[in-house]
Amino acid sequence: MSFNDFNNPQVAALPGHLKQFIVDQHYEHYTPIDHAVWRYVMRQNYSYLKDVAYYPYIPGLTKAGLTIERIPNLQEMNNALAKIGWGAVTVDGFIPPAAFMEYQAYRVLVIAADIRQSRHIEYTPAPDIIHESAGHAPIIADKDYHEYLSYFGSIGAKAMFSAQDFELYEAIRALSILKEMPDADPEEIKKADELVAFRQENMGEPSEMALLSRLHWWTVEYGLIGTLENPKIYGAGLLSSIGESASCMMTEVKKIGYTIDAVNYSYDITKTQPQLFVTPTFQNLIDVLEEFANTMSFRKGGAYGLGKALESKNTCTVVYSSGLQVSGTVTDFKVDAAGNPYFIKTTGGTALAYNNKQLKGHDKNYHKDGFSSPVGKLKGEIVLEVLSADELTGMGIMVGNNVELNFESGITVKGKVKAILAFEGKTQLITFVDCTITDRQGNILFDPSWGVYDMAVGESITSVFCGAADKEAFEEVVYKSKTATHHVEYDVKSKELHKLYQQVRDCRQKQGDYGFLGNVWQRLQQDHHDDWLCAMEILELLEHEEIEPALSTEIRNFLQQKSKDQPELKKLIADGFYLISHPVEQKLVF
């Protein structure tokens, strides 16, 4: 099923530059083992999380269109999420942080289409459908939380990012893909681990996006809510990790009250968290986010914001106090003695916009060589942008007239007015022909031979943010990794194992004809002795139906011995035994 088939208003409203990341779910590609992995994790989650998760998690499963028995169908999730004003799309693994944030702003959950392998059933560093749907989706039903999530997205979509951010993203994506490959070379994994560590340690001064990612990690992914003495889990990373959701409650994991100070704590996605942050309310999350947003260039503007844009070397938008938006790559700006910008310059394709809509005739092809303009008042404390049409005429600033504008900064603009553009009572742009611009020292900033000159009008720079103002018109290509996730090609033996899992699944769902389970067990012993999950599912059926006690004892002994021989399976098998004796009452959830 294509995303175009979804009848969900949030998904339908997504702009084109975000739709490029969407892939079809291909539900038919999920194997019986995949469904068994989902079922095991969800049963464990319900059994354990009903006591330690933030209350809306359990009822939120239903509201998000999830069940214990099978991997969610994206259409069913969209139908359910639409009722709370959200949507969902499937993507191929990790997507860039800026795009992820923007999806949140549009109230669309990004869900990795793949599911973890059974050997990573407790935790995977790769995004998968368990983490995204069973972790994020249920909490979205809480109004305060989903308001925080979408607000975070709108803030994050404007955050400045650096080349180092992209390099780290690529390294993390590559590592997560390798770790989910069944035949990955251990040496390659080691190299990928080392590259992630190296890039994490050599980020330089963290960008706004890097700092925001920390706040996102310590709240949306690994957040606790309540009191330090009795916190509850709401972070998706914890909710989807049957290992860390238990270990995180131990006293060894330090609990810290959530404040803006969390921005000073970096994180490593490949390791369990040494500390977690506890917020008393979701409103506190919004308050902390607001405190951080006040430090960001999109709110501070001025020389600070321009400096961040210069460092970024990415497409950024500079907003004049008149409302004019200049989107391009900032390569230079000048400030006066007080530190206020009085001249800006972009290089390469630059577009002009107002209210996030590109101005007709001012796309990046028209301004293909860049854009430059003064900022500030004219001499005599004249704020050009607020002058009425009559006042402009009184100063001789009218179409067809030759004018000379002298700025307080010492910049002089001389030329013939070709056009004046104004919106909502403010002048944004004055276009000149035969124009010469000089600075205080007499340096030429624009020569008449260069063509028509468009002068931005504004007393100050009120905002600077990453990305274009009108992304669709700018045709901004959001960075997309060329590294594709790995899709397993199953051999004959693997396909035989799938059939065994499916037989057990059919038996459980049809509730009868248990006689052939012994045959399935014999095939497992003969050809798939390493498998434990299918054996656990057979044991569950036999003991619940109270049939073939000798076979039950044989399978239980096998699993107990495997638990001793393979310590990494000890907790998984013990938890499986617990669920058999303490079955999940699905009717309580659904």
Side-chain angles (χ1 to χ4, degrees), residues 474-494:
F474 197 83
E475 297 177 344
E476 185 175 34
V477 179
V478 177
Y479 180 87
K480 187 177 181 181
S481 177
K482 294 181 175 62
T483 308
T485 55
H486 177 77
H487 297 283
V488 179
E489 292 290 333
Y490 297 107
D491 58 20
V492 173
K493 186 175 181 180
S494 296

Side-chain angles (χ1 to χ4, degrees), residues 153-192:
S154 67
I155 299 294
K158 293 185 175 182
M160 292 291 178
F161 50 83
S162 66
Q164 289 89 338
D165 291 331
F166 281 136
E167 289 172 354
L168 178 60
Y169 156 72
E170 278 285 20
I172 289 173
R173 179 178 166 88
L175 174 63
S176 70
I177 291 170
L178 271 174
K179 286 198 169 184
E180 277 300 312
M181 290 173 63
D183 54 353
D185 182 348
E187 189 60 33
E188 289 297 312
I189 292 178
K190 181 184 176 185
K191 288 179 182 177

